[in-house]
Amino acid sequence: MSTEEESPPSTAPAAGSARRALLGRLSWGLADQAASSMSNFAVGLYVARSLGVTAFGVFSLAWVTYGVVLNVSRGLATDPLVVRFSGVPDASWRGAVARSTGTALGVGGAIGAVCLVAGLALGGRVGTAFACLGVMLPGLLLQDAWRFSFFAAGAGRKAFVNDVVWGVALVPAMVVAAHAGTVAAFVLAWGASATVAAVYGHVQSGIRPRMTEARGWLREQRDLGYRYLVENVSLSGASQLRAYGLGAIAGVGAVGAVRGAELLLGPFLAVLMGLSLVTVPEAARVLRQAPHRLGSFCLLLGGGQAVAALLWGGALLLVPDRLGEFALGGVWHSASQLIVPVTLGVAGAGLGTGAAAGLRALGAARRSLRCQLFSSVCYAGGGLGGAAVAGTVGSAWGVAAATVSGSAVWWLQLRSALRERPRNSVPEVRTS
């Protein structure tokens, strides 16, 4: 009989498997965002070249309006979903997804009806574009809701496939719209192709959105949903306010210069947006499986994004003027002067997303709302105040300082939330 003690099974294979699973989910997030960004870029380019600058401006008004409505839908429907139903049993997830997607569909129907009535009353090209957007909003919002539902389940591949379906459906739709040659036709083509992907989301999941339970979902998630709604709308509102104010103070050319600098950081921003699709679900999983590791996970997440942004910005500083002019034309000269402050701003935002993911995973909606409102006020104030003092460059530096300050507040709030949790823990695991 052997006298050797039996050694406990090694945890290394399990840890390695968990890391591979995490990397796989992050990779699908990046792939999904790449597909979405490429589709958006292609639509913008195709519509601009087909319609000309004035008509493209009308289309852009519809696009910006969709972005605001999308933030409303996410705050009420899908943000609470990824916080409370990521990594839960399948039956719990399916029930929540049915209610969440039903809420997104309801938001699309309600705001779509307002857009339709307002568009018909307004008339003209702008009115027609808004009326068409109103008809298409339910499908557009439902498609986005499926993406977040799949990421909550750790099935990023399905979200990626859904976005690819939208991209494929866009091709014939845009060709037909180009033959019509109107803004309304392009809005309808864009929305109809999204609706195709939204229907395919039902096929992928086997879940039917329940609009009749939207009111119940809003009631159940009111402690998170309404705060996330304010967060999302304040973020997009501050960005729009800074853009309009900068144009009024420093001229439309200043807005173009800032947009040019942001385009230089476009590939990295796509990565940042791709990661944002999975950071909250992953933080929620860490909280449930190893709560003591949440702080270090968020620090690694935010710090990694900040370092990557700084490296990307450093590489841009080495770009020869000839290559920059080839990419941006006459915008390069003014945009290149903003690379340093815009890079610092993006790095600050990346660092803050780590803390934001942690607060959302903890369900600390009151704290995250405070942070977002503070960050939004700083963003608009820094951008406009800097513009008043030193024009375009001053606005860029003002936004950079505001973003870094906002990131510090996010981390201070996360630290406080982590310290309070053992004494006053809020149960976030839902089973229904």
Side-chain angles (χ1 to χ4, degrees):
M1 181 176 178
S2 173
T3 59
E4 295 181 0
E5 293 184 359
E6 185 178 353
S7 60
S10 172
T11 60
S17 177
R19 282 194 295 269
R20 286 193 296 272
L22 171 60
L23 289 175
R25 291 191 292 268
L26 292 175
S27 298
W28 282 118
L30 294 175
D32 175 75
Q33 186 56 46
S36 178
S37 297
M38 288 177 62
S39 295
N40 290 339
F41 177 76
V43 168
L45 185 63
Y46 192 76
V47 175
R49 298 182 66 172
S50 300
L51 295 181
V53 64
T54 303
F56 180 62
V58 175
F59 180 85
S60 297
L61 287 175
W63 185 289
V64 169
T65 303
Y66 158 71
V68 175
V69 177
L70 186 64
N71 278 327
V72 172
S73 176
R74 287 178 177 176
L76 295 177
T78 53
D79 284 346
L81 175 75
V82 298
V83 168
R84 287 179 163 155
F85 295 92
S86 293
V88 300
D90 184 68
S92 178
W93 173 81
R94 294 180 69 84
V97 169
R99 300 195 300 278
S100 175
T101 53
T103 301
L105 203 55
V107 170
I111 301 181
V114 173
C115 287
L116 177 61
V117 172
L120 293 175
L122 184 62
R125 283 196 297 184
V126 174
T128 304
F130 272 84
C132 293
L133 176 66
V135 174
M136 293 295 128
L137 272 177
L140 285 161
L141 298 188
L142 180 59
Q143 191 275 337
D144 185 74
W146 286 127
R147 295 174 66 206
F148 281 82
S149 298
F150 292 140
F151 278 112
R157 180 181 60 84
K158 290 186 177 180
F160 170 74
V161 171
N162 194 274
D163 265 329
V164 169
V165 169
W166 185 4
V168 171
L170 264 172
V171 176
M174 286 290 158
V175 171
V176 172
H179 282 293
T182 64
V183 176
F186 278 105
V187 173
L188 291 173
W190 169 50
S193 56
T195 303
V196 170
V199 172
Y200 184 64
H202 165 67
V203 175
Q204 288 176 290
S205 64
I207 299 173
R208 180 173 60 85
R210 300 175 186 169
M211 286 184 60
T212 55
E213 297 189 20
R215 182 175 296 178
W217 173 263
L218 294 175
R219 185 171 58 251
E220 292 170 13
Q221 312 301 329
R222 63 182 178 274
D223 58 326
L224 297 182
Y226 294 115
R227 289 191 174 99
Y228 290 159
L229 170 64
V230 176
E231 279 188 44
N232 294 349
V233 173
S234 69
L235 178 63
S236 58
S239 178
Q240 293 299 315
L241 179 61
R242 185 252 181 145
Y244 295 147
L246 179 60
I249 295 171
V252 178
V255 180
V258 170
R259 179 56 182 157
E262 291 173 347
L263 283 175
L264 292 173
L265 285 153
F268 178 78
L269 291 174
V271 171
L272 188 66
M273 293 175 64
L275 288 175
S276 70
L277 293 170
V278 293
T279 50
V280 176
E282 291 306 323
R285 287 186 178 89
V286 171
L287 179 62
R288 292 184 181 120
Q289 297 169 6
H292 61 284
R293 294 179 53 200
L294 180 62
S296 58
F297 172 81
C298 294
L299 182 60
L300 179 63
L301 183 68
Q305 292 179 79
V307 170
L310 293 174
L311 292 175
W312 184 273
L316 289 175
L317 293 174
L318 303 177
V319 173
D321 286 340
R322 181 179 298 179
L323 182 58
E325 291 171 358
F326 175 79
L328 293 180
V331 178
W332 165 254
H333 178 70
S334 55
S336 62
Q337 299 177 23
L338 308 179
I339 290 176
V340 173
V342 170
T343 297
L344 291 176
V346 172
L351 183 62
T353 57
L359 284 177
R360 290 222 166 173
L362 288 166
R366 190 185 301 273
R367 290 185 179 276
S368 62
L369 176 58
R370 277 192 223 123
C371 293
Q372 189 57 70
L373 290 176
F374 175 83
S375 299
S376 297
V377 170
C378 287
Y379 183 93
L384 297 179
V389 172
T392 309
V393 176
S395 179
W397 278 108
V399 166
T403 305
V404 173
S405 300
S407 177
V409 172
W410 279 103
W411 278 102
L412 289 172
Q413 289 293 323
L414 176 61
R415 186 178 68 171
S416 298
L418 289 172
R419 286 178 174 177
E420 289 178 0
R421 187 175 181 274
R423 299 193 303 271
N424 187 25
S425 178
V426 180
E428 289 298 334
V429 177
R430 297 299 176 93
T431 57
S432 63

